[in-house]
Amino acid sequence: MNFDQIQNATLGSMMTWGHMIWVFFPIPLFCLVLLAVPFPKTEKLCTELVGSIFFTRISVGVVYIRLVWVFMGMSCLIFWIAITTLQMGFGSTRVPCSGTSCPFHTGETMWYRRALRYRAERNFWLSLFTLLLWLLVYKIYSLKETIVKLRAELVAIRNDGYKPMKSDLDVKKD
């Protein structure tokens, strides 16, 4: 693998990090904050707001796709780019060089390659965190949606005038 291939892969992956920081982090964090609102009166409103953000349908040509799948797909793609960057390695960093002295490379080259490796590792962990964050929001949203539906059913049952009898509440002991 030559230096141009490494540089192209690094430039391609660095362009995605601006999107990750300004798009992929704030949206799921905002959704998690809305889903974490503990007040029952605002719970339904917040869940519906997250649902409207999360499940907005966008058109890609003639295909309509939900926004959640676009974000999860892009997070998977960014995670895959981070993995391939780590798997490619960083040129000849595997050359037996000891610490700061190497007969093949200058100190500046060694520091640059070490910085590339640390940046790639950081990007790997950030992309994994982003992917898990989107999956977490999806799971919490589905659970919260179930809770809101069950609370609405409970309110409907209470409003119907149903009053449980003592025999309904007793638990039979076997």
Side-chain angles (χ1 to χ4, degrees), residues 8-74:
N8 289 339
T10 304
L11 286 175
S13 68
M14 284 190 329
M15 290 169 49
T16 58
W17 298 108
H19 294 100
M20 178 160 310
I21 294 200
W22 295 108
V23 175
F24 286 83
F25 280 148
I27 293 174
L29 288 176
F30 176 70
C31 290
L32 281 176
V33 167
L34 286 176
L35 291 172
V37 172
F39 307 115
K41 292 181 180 181
T42 59
E43 186 175 45
K44 182 178 179 182
L45 176 70
C46 291
T47 304
E48 288 174 355
L49 181 62
V50 170
S52 67
I53 293 170
F54 219 49
F55 291 100
T56 300
R57 295 182 80 175
I58 59 170
S59 71
V60 181
V62 295
V63 177
Y64 288 93
I65 188 167
R66 299 208 184 265
L67 198 56
V68 64
W69 301 119
V70 171
F71 283 127
M72 282 190 192
M74 291 302 295

Side-chain angles (χ1 to χ4, degrees), residues 77-163:
L77 178 68
I78 292 169
F79 183 58
W80 178 74
I81 289 171
I83 289 172
T84 55
T85 302
L86 280 175
Q87 286 179 342
M88 277 193 309
F90 301 97
S92 56
T93 54
R94 306 281 190 261
V95 173
C97 299
S98 62
T100 57
S101 64
C102 176
F104 304 112
H105 303 104
T106 64
E108 194 174 301
T109 304
M110 293 296 290
W111 280 108
Y112 177 73
R113 290 179 182 206
R114 188 176 295 162
L116 283 178
R117 189 181 80 228
Y118 291 146
R119 182 183 304 144
E121 289 173 2
R122 177 209 59 199
N123 292 346
F124 168 81
W125 290 111
L126 283 174
S127 61
L128 178 64
F129 175 69
T130 302
L131 180 61
L132 291 177
L133 194 61
W134 279 106
L135 294 173
L136 181 70
V137 168
Y138 184 76
K139 183 63 177 175
I140 290 175
Y141 169 75
S142 63
L143 292 173
K144 197 73 154 180
E145 193 175 40
T146 305
I147 290 171
V148 168
K149 286 179 185 175
L150 290 174
R151 284 195 183 174
E153 288 176 11
L154 181 63
V155 168
I157 289 172
R158 285 184 181 162
N159 290 339
D160 285 343
Y162 173 77
K163 293 183 180 165

